[in-house]
Amino acid sequence: MVFDYSSLPREFKRHYLPQEIKFDWDDLKRVFEELGKRPVGSSSELELWLLDEAELDAYIYEQRAIRYFNSTRQTDNPEYTKAYEEYTELLEPKIKLASFEILKKYMASPFRAQLPGPTYGLEDRRRQSAVAIFREENVALEKDDSALSQRYFRTTGAMTVTFRGQERTLQQMSRFLEEPDRGLREEAWRLSTQRALADSEPLDSIYTQMVALRDRVARNAGFDNYRDYTFVKKDRFDYSPEDCEEFHRGVEESMVPLSREIDRARAEKMGVDVLRPWDLAVDPAGRPALRPFEEIGGLVSGAGRVMSKVDGELSSYFGRMVELQLLDLDSRKGKAPGGYQEELAEARFPFIFMNATGKDDDVRTLLHESGHSFHTFLMRKAGVPFFNGGANMPSEFAEVASMSMEMITGEHYEGTFYNRDEAKRSNWREFVDNVKLFTWVATVDAFQHWVYTHPVHTRDERVRAWVSTFNRFCGLESYEGLESSRAYRWQRQLHIYEVPFYYIEYGIALTGAIGIWSRYRKDPKDAIEAYKGALSLGCARPLPELFEAAGVGWGFGPQVLRRISEELRSAIREYAE
Ligand SMILES: [Zn+2]
């Protein structure tokens, strides 16, 4: 599948970059040099200079994104892999060094303090952090890190099994875990797990190299460990590693007991003494899996109908994406796993990637990613500066946009994807999944805290740390006789490889998303207005202010989690009836 991104409408004209610019170092270097040499003699000149720089950033971000899309859409196309690798290996290191020179010029400007408004204030703070942690020797290490991520994707992207006479990706296999036939589920689960375990050695070795690299990056920048470095690197101005530990504690206190309650009820309903890992995705009443659509066309039209019930403006954005072919939704061999929304920063359009196979989950995923794309469209409409592809967008809030849309749209499934009972089933599962997500976020985050604060460890020690973390937050399913699958379960969580420490951001965002959903049930119009207003702010406000603008409070400690767990418990009861 080839898509010509250059044919997208260009509604934001360039004011600075040459029309004929090519994405190679010769051309980029000229632009960096001009920015570096240009005299900046007043705050308004500095502002203009920043906007020109942002135009360059957006161009680079978009070109990178296109290469990334292509390489994930076809991991088995060597040309695309090569193009992305050429970017990460040859171009990106040069761009980082040149950007740092530009950053130094900005930092030295006496007009910084005179720039207007909160946007520049926060941007200035981000730049101060960036300067404080930048080390030239880290550029090469980050390049190696990125190459290791590519290896991870190639390894996991190539994982297929032959099941019932057909070759299938592991993602395609996951739908069999929803089948009422327990024997079939077990067979499918074991087959997928064995396939993943067959590569546990190479995946382990990739991770070992990544941890060592990341630890060096942190130490080069003067930090004790990569965790503390990441908090500065990711502009986490509003919370600390200790706050994350409090989150882990809160999850352990309120969400883990709820998760185990859910499992006890599940086992009882299923009539089994002990739950096994293949028993967790199936309908506990033994009904066949929900099949919301057969073809991708059904997914797209259903999603469009659901969105139109939520809000006309938001659904028109989705229509625009369909029209411009900015969706790649089906699961194919060679396609990277997972789903994402990413921006084409110059054209200011979003792009959605996922692997749909006809499951209830796929509907949620598409509506989730659509929530991200609404963010892009609303920032586009508001003309938010420093748009550069959401590079500055904190995920703690970006995921509020997507997760709340996932829950809000669920209120309208009846009559679109499902009948009344099926809609309740789907929503029951969504809220059960939210409980499980809190526990999984705590698992993944606490594990990474351990890994990066103990950078020198053996593989056995790492497995032991994983298993004890897993057991601290897990449900009631038994891994007896399946110990190695539990020991390497983390290898299937791509964030642990690709975007270290990202996962907590889902947990923080989920607290806000549940708040918005809860408001939506009481006053839909009001909740959507606040949602759109907050999304239109882009990344120009600190996190607590973005949460406030969306009409929900900021905070994710044990007390907040206790209140949310009560809300989740009652939603789950309501949908189970
Ligand atoms: Zn997301």
Side-chain angles (χ1 to χ4, degrees):
M1 187 188 300
V2 189
F3 177 69
D4 179 13
Y5 300 96
S6 67
S7 69
L8 280 175
R10 299 280 157 178
E11 291 159 20
F12 294 83
K13 298 282 170 247
R14 285 180 188 165
H15 297 286
Y16 170 61
L17 286 186
Q19 288 309 318
E20 66 285 1
I21 189 169
K22 284 194 307 295
F23 197 56
D24 60 28
W25 184 239
D26 281 351
D27 276 20
L28 290 174
K29 193 172 149 207
R30 260 194 293 280
V31 181
F32 276 113
E33 279 172 358
E34 193 284 321
L35 286 168
K37 273 191 268 178
R38 188 195 307 177
V40 175
S42 67
S43 65
S44 57
E45 279 178 23
L46 181 61
E47 205 178 347
L48 183 67
W49 182 87
L50 281 169
L51 291 172
D52 289 349
E53 187 205 14
E55 203 175 291
L56 171 64
D57 282 349
Y59 171 70
I60 293 170
Y61 198 92
E62 175 163 315
Q63 294 300 316
R64 185 206 67 88
I66 290 170
R67 280 156 185 77
Y68 182 73
F69 298 160
N70 290 338
S71 73
T72 53
R73 293 171 88 172
Q74 293 185 25
T75 59
D76 49 3
N77 182 328
E79 223 173 279
Y80 288 153
T81 310
K82 195 170 147 242
Y84 188 67
E85 280 175 0
E86 272 175 9
Y87 166 74
T88 57
E89 279 167 27
L90 303 175
L91 218 42
E92 194 175 40
K94 292 192 175 105
I95 290 170
K96 281 187 180 169
L97 291 174
S99 303
F100 185 62
E101 291 307 311
I102 297 295
L103 183 60
K104 281 197 291 198
K105 173 171 174 149
Y106 167 82
M107 293 305 290
S109 169
F111 304 107
R112 265 169 65 200
Q114 294 167 28
L115 291 171
T119 307
Y120 286 107
L122 192 56
E123 181 59 23
D124 190 74
R125 213 172 155 195
R126 292 189 182 113
R127 285 170 187 246
Q128 286 179 44
S129 304
V131 164
I133 63 166
F134 184 87
R135 297 292 182 276
E136 198 168 329
E137 61 269 33
N138 281 345
V139 172
L141 297 176
E142 285 166 1
K143 186 188 81 175
D144 295 345
D145 194 342
S146 168
L148 287 165
S149 272
Q150 288 292 302
R151 256 174 66 195
Y152 173 77
F153 279 121
R154 273 199 302 279
T155 309
T156 52
M159 287 182 182
T160 61
V161 293
T162 304
F163 185 63
R164 310 265 140 130
Q166 225 185 308
E167 188 183 18
R168 302 168 203 260
T169 64
L170 299 196
Q171 297 218 347
Q172 287 165 342
M173 286 300 286
S174 63
R175 71 180 279 169
F176 295 107
L177 297 178
E178 296 181 11
E179 291 296 329
D181 179 346
R182 200 181 193 200
L184 183 145
R185 290 201 307 272
E186 179 173 350
E187 195 191 333
W189 187 89
R190 283 182 184 272
L191 196 62
S192 300
T193 304
Q194 274 159 15
R195 176 60 192 89
L197 278 177
D199 279 334
S200 78
E201 276 285 322
L203 291 176
D204 218 31
S205 144
I206 291 172
Y207 194 58
T208 300
Q209 294 173 62
M210 282 176 152
V211 172
L213 268 178
R214 290 167 186 172
D215 189 57
R216 268 177 67 198
V217 164
R219 287 176 197 277
N220 286 344
F223 289 81
D224 283 345
N225 61 64
Y226 186 72
R227 179 189 71 175
D228 297 350
Y229 167 84
T230 302
F231 271 70
V232 177
K233 167 114 181 158
K234 288 170 91 45
D235 300 329
R236 292 183 173 174
F237 302 129
D238 304 296
Y239 63 99
S240 64
E242 291 70 37
D243 292 323
C244 297
E245 285 162 6
E246 279 296 281
F247 171 83
H248 306 157
R249 192 167 66 80
V251 167
E252 192 176 14
E253 283 171 8
S254 322
M255 296 295 171
V256 170
L258 177 54
S259 153
R260 293 180 182 168
E261 248 172 62
I262 292 166
D263 285 353
R264 251 188 303 278
R266 166 180 284 280
E268 204 172 297
K269 205 159 197 173
M270 289 173 71
V272 298
D273 290 332
V274 180
L275 287 176
R276 312 282 349 239
W278 48 85
D279 292 329
L280 304 176
V282 65
D283 179 63
R287 291 164 291 191
L290 292 169
R291 288 281 172 255
F293 61 93
E294 288 296 328
E295 303 289 331
I296 293 297
L299 172 61
V300 171
S301 63
R305 284 204 304 280
V306 165
M307 286 181 223
S308 69
K309 291 186 186 181
V310 174
D311 185 72
E313 181 183 0
L314 298 179
S315 80
S316 76
Y317 293 146
F318 183 71
R320 194 88 209 271
M321 294 190 76
V322 175
E323 174 202 325
L324 295 174
Q325 299 181 42
L326 295 169
L327 306 165
D328 181 359
L329 308 181
D330 64 323
S331 179
R332 302 180 301 268
K333 189 186 168 203
K335 196 167 162 178
Y340 62 79
Q341 185 267 174
E342 183 57 281
E343 290 95 0
L344 292 146
E346 249 208 317
R348 300 197 175 193
F349 283 116
F351 176 85
I352 293 177
F353 169 100
M354 65 178 280
N355 284 272
T357 55
K359 299 188 302 176
D360 181 52
D361 263 3
D362 297 331
V363 173
R364 297 282 175 187
T365 302
L366 178 57
L367 291 163
H368 173 105
E369 303 304 342
S370 298
H372 286 306
S373 70
F374 298 156
H375 215 159
T376 304
F377 277 109
L378 286 161
M379 286 193 285
R380 172 184 224 274
K381 181 177 155 195
V384 172
F386 305 113
F387 186 83
N388 53 341
N392 286 333
M393 174 59 69
S395 312
E396 296 90 340
F397 188 68
E399 295 298 333
V400 171
S402 54
M403 289 174 157
S404 60
M405 201 34 63
E406 218 179 300
M407 288 177 244
I408 286 171
T409 45
E411 299 285 317
H412 305 287
Y413 281 180
E414 187 182 338
T416 50
F417 289 107
Y418 298 127
N419 65 30
R420 189 178 155 74
D421 280 350
E422 289 168 336
K424 278 175 87 172
R425 260 179 78 185
S426 171
N427 283 321
W428 173 82
R429 207 174 123 183
E430 168 79 1
F431 286 89
V432 165
D433 285 352
N434 283 338
V435 174
K436 298 284 179 183
L437 181 57
F438 273 121
T439 63
W440 186 242
V441 167
T443 311
V444 170
D445 192 57
F447 173 61
Q448 295 183 90
H449 279 244
W450 183 88
V451 166
Y452 293 103
T453 54
H454 301 77
V456 183
H457 57 253
T458 65
R459 288 177 179 189
D460 283 345
E461 284 166 342
R462 184 157 73 210
V463 163
R464 275 201 297 278
W466 166 257
V467 171
S468 78
T469 310
F470 184 94
N471 289 341
R472 181 179 168 202
F473 301 106
C474 68
L476 294 178
E477 77 276 20
S478 159
Y479 285 85
E480 208 187 319
L482 307 167
E483 287 76 7
S484 52
S485 85
R486 179 176 50 187
Y488 290 99
R489 175 65 188 81
W490 56 274
Q491 293 185 338
R492 295 174 75 177
Q493 191 63 56
L494 69 92
H495 301 72
I496 291 177
Y497 284 80
E498 198 198 12
V499 277
F501 288 108
Y502 182 102
Y503 229 64
I504 185 71
E505 297 168 10
Y506 286 123
I508 296 170
L510 187 51
T511 62
I514 290 171
I516 293 179
W517 163 79
S518 172
R519 277 183 62 139
Y520 182 81
R521 293 193 110 193
K522 289 174 201 118
D523 187 345
K525 248 185 121 83
D526 186 54
I528 292 296
E529 280 318 303
Y531 172 90
K532 292 203 285 193
L535 267 57
S536 306
L537 293 171
C539 44
R541 298 284 188 287
L543 283 170
E545 285 181 38
L546 293 173
F547 274 64
E548 294 295 332
V552 292
W554 166 255
F556 49 90
Q559 267 184 327
V560 173
L561 290 172
R562 193 167 314 130
R563 179 176 47 75
I564 291 176
S565 72
E566 287 313 320
E567 246 177 298
L568 289 172
R569 184 177 275 112
S570 79
I572 289 166
R573 262 194 213 123
E574 177 192 327
Y575 290 126
E577 276 162 13

Short mmCIF file of all heavy atoms in Angstrom, two decimals, residues 250 556-564:
data_model
loop_
_atom_site.label_atom_id
_atom_site.label_comp_id
_atom_site.label_asym_id
_atom_site.label_seq_id
_atom_site.Cartn_x
_atom_site.Cartn_y
_atom_site.Cartn_z
N GLY A 250 -1.20 3.58 45.66
CA GLY A 250 -2.65 3.77 45.54
C GLY A 250 -3.31 2.66 44.72
O GLY A 250 -4.38 2.17 45.06
N PHE A 556 -3.09 12.14 41.29
CA PHE A 556 -3.25 10.70 41.02
C PHE A 556 -2.72 9.87 42.19
O PHE A 556 -2.19 8.78 42.01
CB PHE A 556 -2.60 10.32 39.69
CG PHE A 556 -1.18 10.83 39.52
CD1 PHE A 556 -0.10 10.06 39.93
CD2 PHE A 556 -0.93 12.09 38.97
CE1 PHE A 556 1.20 10.53 39.79
CE2 PHE A 556 0.39 12.56 38.83
CZ PHE A 556 1.44 11.78 39.24
N GLY A 557 -2.84 10.43 43.38
CA GLY A 557 -2.38 9.73 44.58
C GLY A 557 -3.42 8.75 45.10
O GLY A 557 -4.50 8.61 44.52
N PRO A 558 -3.08 8.08 46.20
CA PRO A 558 -3.97 7.05 46.75
C PRO A 558 -5.42 7.51 46.99
O PRO A 558 -6.35 6.75 46.74
CB PRO A 558 -3.28 6.67 48.06
CG PRO A 558 -1.83 6.94 47.81
CD PRO A 558 -1.80 8.14 46.92
N GLN A 559 -5.60 8.76 47.46
CA GLN A 559 -6.97 9.20 47.74
C GLN A 559 -7.81 9.32 46.47
O GLN A 559 -8.96 8.90 46.44
CB GLN A 559 -6.95 10.55 48.45
CG GLN A 559 -6.96 10.40 49.95
CD GLN A 559 -7.02 11.74 50.63
OE1 GLN A 559 -6.49 12.73 50.12
NE2 GLN A 559 -7.66 11.78 51.77
N VAL A 560 -7.20 9.93 45.45
CA VAL A 560 -7.91 10.08 44.17
C VAL A 560 -8.24 8.69 43.61
O VAL A 560 -9.35 8.44 43.14
CB VAL A 560 -7.03 10.87 43.17
CG1 VAL A 560 -7.67 10.90 41.79
CG2 VAL A 560 -6.79 12.29 43.68
N LEU A 561 -7.28 7.79 43.69
CA LEU A 561 -7.50 6.45 43.14
C LEU A 561 -8.61 5.72 43.90
O LEU A 561 -9.37 4.96 43.30
CB LEU A 561 -6.20 5.64 43.16
CG LEU A 561 -5.16 6.14 42.16
CD1 LEU A 561 -3.82 5.43 42.36
CD2 LEU A 561 -5.62 5.95 40.71
N ARG A 562 -8.70 5.97 45.20
CA ARG A 562 -9.76 5.33 45.97
C ARG A 562 -11.13 5.80 45.46
O ARG A 562 -12.02 5.00 45.22
CB ARG A 562 -9.61 5.66 47.47
CG ARG A 562 -10.47 4.77 48.37
CD ARG A 562 -10.07 4.91 49.84
NE ARG A 562 -8.62 4.83 50.01
CZ ARG A 562 -7.89 5.71 50.70
NH1 ARG A 562 -8.47 6.74 51.29
NH2 ARG A 562 -6.58 5.57 50.80
N ARG A 563 -11.26 7.11 45.26
CA ARG A 563 -12.53 7.66 44.77
C ARG A 563 -12.85 7.08 43.38
O ARG A 563 -13.97 6.64 43.11
CB ARG A 563 -12.43 9.19 44.70
CG ARG A 563 -13.69 9.85 44.18
CD ARG A 563 -13.61 11.38 44.20
NE ARG A 563 -12.38 11.95 43.67
CZ ARG A 563 -12.09 12.02 42.38
NH1 ARG A 563 -12.91 11.54 41.47
NH2 ARG A 563 -10.94 12.56 41.98
N ILE A 564 -11.84 7.05 42.52
CA ILE A 564 -12.08 6.54 41.16
C ILE A 564 -12.44 5.06 41.19
O ILE A 564 -13.30 4.59 40.44
CB ILE A 564 -10.84 6.79 40.27
CG1 ILE A 564 -10.70 8.30 40.04
CG2 ILE A 564 -10.95 6.06 38.95
CD1 ILE A 564 -9.46 8.69 39.27
#
